[in-house]
Amino acid sequence: MSAQYNFDTEKSYRKIGLLGASLTQQFVNHKTQEPTGYSYYLNMLLKSIYPNNYKLRKFTYPGSRFELGGWFHCQDILDFRPDLLLLELSVEDGSQKIIFGQRQRDYVHFFHILIQHNIFFGCLLLDHALVDPKQNSLILDICEKMKIPAQLVHQKDIESEQVRFEGVHTNAASAKSLLSAWKPFISNMLRLSHFKLSWSAYSLRLPKN
């Protein structure tokens, strides 16, 4: 996020959407209230930028795949009309059998629908030992061809002696570290979402990774 840019937090109510499977579903431990998901820390980030002037809504399909859960939420997303939609498509889709032809068609069709409705969106990707690297390659290839912003972060850059994933899921420490890795990308996407431009104009302003 540019130090020279000030978010216009007073003039517009912001709506942020998250689409994903169980990694995105995670938020807090219901018994201990300890944070367990990156969406908890994203909510904290949004609260620091848009105090009491935003809504974060999650469209999740834990244990399922985009081919089922993603399409299930399509109309809900269009009705919500987020200023920014972030799609986490690595976990679940990348840990289950990939039927590349059908999955590619599903992603491309879904992305076209979002673009046609002028919903600004980007993809959050995780390179993880339990995620088939072909999944991330598929998404990155589609995003490159369609000029959709995407950010891939790596498990090795998130974990340390004190920070570990629990399978493909997170605890308080790894969730915070994961959001921290995605934060520069998310912050820039939030900044761009304020301009209310068409997709063709967005493509000219997207940062180079």
Side-chain angles (χ1 to χ4, degrees), residues 7 9-10 13 44-54:
F7 285 101
T9 60
E10 298 298 329
Y13 183 81
M44 291 181 60
L45 173 64
L46 295 173
K47 189 176 295 185
S48 71
I49 298 172
Y50 312 110
N52 302 314
N53 204 28
Y54 74 95

Side-chain angles (χ1 to χ4, degrees), residues 52-185:
N52 302 314
N53 204 28
Y54 74 95
K55 180 176 180 62
L56 174 63
R57 182 172 173 183
K58 298 198 292 185
F59 304 91
T60 58
Y61 44 95
S64 186
R65 301 180 304 280
F66 175 84
E67 295 96 299
L68 300 175
W71 284 117
F72 177 81
H73 287 296
C74 184
Q75 188 58 53
D76 291 334
I77 291 170
L78 298 181
D79 291 341
F80 182 56
R81 292 202 60 79
D83 298 292
L84 171 63
L85 177 67
L86 298 169
L87 297 85
E88 187 285 297
L89 300 174
S90 294
V91 173
E92 296 298 353
D93 279 16
S95 56
Q96 301 190 33
K97 184 178 179 180
I98 299 176
I99 305 174
F100 280 101
Q102 181 59 49
R103 180 162 294 178
Q104 182 179 33
R105 288 190 291 272
D106 278 326
Y107 289 146
V108 170
H109 188 191
F110 190 81
F111 292 174
H112 272 300
I113 290 174
L114 295 177
I115 291 171
Q116 288 167 1
H117 286 80
N118 207 33
I119 292 176
F120 187 48
F121 69 98
C123 295
L124 304 174
L125 302 174
L126 172 63
D127 173 28
H128 189 284
L130 297 178
V131 172
D132 189 334
K134 295 178 183 177
Q135 170 67 14
N136 289 326
S137 295
L138 174 64
I139 296 294
L140 289 172
D141 182 62
I142 294 171
C143 288
E144 181 178 2
K145 291 177 179 176
M146 297 182 68
K147 296 184 179 180
I148 295 166
Q151 178 66 53
L152 175 67
V153 299
H154 303 276
Q155 180 182 2
K156 63 181 179 61
D157 296 327
I158 296 166
E159 290 189 321
S160 65
E161 290 186 5
Q162 294 78 30
V163 179
R164 287 284 186 270
F165 280 85
E166 297 179 358
V168 293
H169 297 120
T170 50
N171 50 38
S174 51
K176 186 175 184 179
S177 184
L178 177 58
L179 192 279
S180 179
W182 277 330
K183 183 179 176 180
F185 174 79

